[in-house]
Amino acid sequence: MKPSLKALLVIVMTVFLTAPSIAQVKSDYDKSTDFSKYKTYRFLGWVENSDQILNEFDKKRILESFRDELNLMGLQHSEDNSDIAITLYIVVDQKTSMTAYTNYNGGMGYGYGRWGWGMGYGGMGSSTTTYSEDDYLEGTVVIDFYDDETKQLIWQGIIKTTVKENPKQREKSIPKNVKKLMS
């Protein structure tokens, strides 16, 4: 296989193997809302106790990451009177990614023949296909902002990403993904 073809194959495989780990972010908001009037927020909690699937460390990481981003936006946390009420919802699904790679060894090649060195046909080629399945967890976090006075939904953000197994990786990926969602 030519070196450039090998490099292209490596790039394509890398994209397919890492694609599940790229965070997908979606958001929507009420276009008539004047967001500049909001100065304070409070967390109402996790919808339908969806946080039960999280350990205490990850709950803390998620809440602190949202607090940090909201503070950077100039909003202050308040437990009593707030302008924005925030709810969080999380779902974790078991997913499987499948990959297949075929290595084809054709019958063409270089070699020594009856009349000297040269290129020729060596008969039938062979191929080997490697197939693999990898299980992973995909997490979806939905954050809703409500006007605390009118109880109307004013903004919703959704992020879907691969859940890292290693706690050290989650410690880095949670704030990074929350930042991406809140931008």
Side-chain angles (χ1 to χ4, degrees):
M1 192 180 296
K2 293 181 179 178
S4 61
L5 187 56
K6 274 188 179 179
L8 179 61
L9 184 61
V10 169
I11 291 169
V12 169
M13 291 303 293
T14 302
V15 168
F16 282 115
L17 291 175
T18 60
S21 66
I22 298 171
Q24 300 171 351
V25 176
K26 297 177 187 174
S27 66
D28 199 5
Y29 66 98
D30 181 352
K31 311 283 189 272
S32 66
T33 301
D34 176 14
F35 286 93
S36 66
K37 71 179 183 177
Y38 299 112
K39 306 294 182 211
T40 59
Y41 70 92
R42 68 182 170 126
F43 287 109
L44 294 179
W46 297 86
V47 177
E48 299 175 12
N49 295 319
S50 64
D51 64 325
Q52 300 302 311
I53 59 175
L54 297 173
N55 64 43
E56 292 300 317
F57 299 119
D58 287 338
K59 279 191 236 184
K60 184 178 178 182
R61 287 179 184 120
I62 291 170
L63 289 174
E64 285 179 356
S65 296
F66 277 115
R67 279 193 181 109
D68 291 345
E69 291 303 313
L70 292 166
N71 289 340
L72 287 173
M73 294 175 163
L75 295 170
Q76 299 297 315
H77 184 259
S78 172
E79 287 298 327
D80 300 326
N81 294 328
S82 66
D83 302 320
I84 299 173
I86 298 173
T87 61
L88 294 162
Y89 182 75
I90 190 164
V91 176
V92 176
D93 293 319
Q94 179 75 37
K95 298 282 186 168
T96 302
S97 94
M98 294 171 268
T99 57
Y101 171 74
T102 300
N103 186 8
Y104 179 73
N105 300 317
M108 296 293 286
Y110 290 99
Y112 182 76
R114 185 174 186 176
W115 296 284
W117 286 93
M119 186 169 164
Y121 182 72
M124 291 199 56
S126 66
S127 65
T128 305
T129 300
T130 305
Y131 176 80
S132 65
E133 290 185 0
D134 294 309
D135 293 330
Y136 64 97
L137 296 176
E138 181 180 75
T140 303
V141 176
V142 179
I143 183 168
D144 291 327
F145 287 19
Y146 294 90
D147 182 299
D148 210 5
E149 184 179 329
T150 65
K151 309 300 183 220
Q152 296 297 310
L153 180 65
I154 57 173
W155 184 84
Q156 181 180 69
I158 303 169
I159 189 163
K160 187 181 289 191
T161 189
T162 301
V163 177
K164 307 292 185 197
E165 290 184 34
N166 185 325
K168 293 281 186 200
Q169 289 177 319
R170 287 196 309 271
E171 192 172 357
K172 292 179 183 177
S173 67
I174 288 173
K176 179 179 159 186
N177 287 328
V178 168
K179 182 178 190 72
K180 185 175 182 178
L181 174 62
M182 297 303 291
S183 66

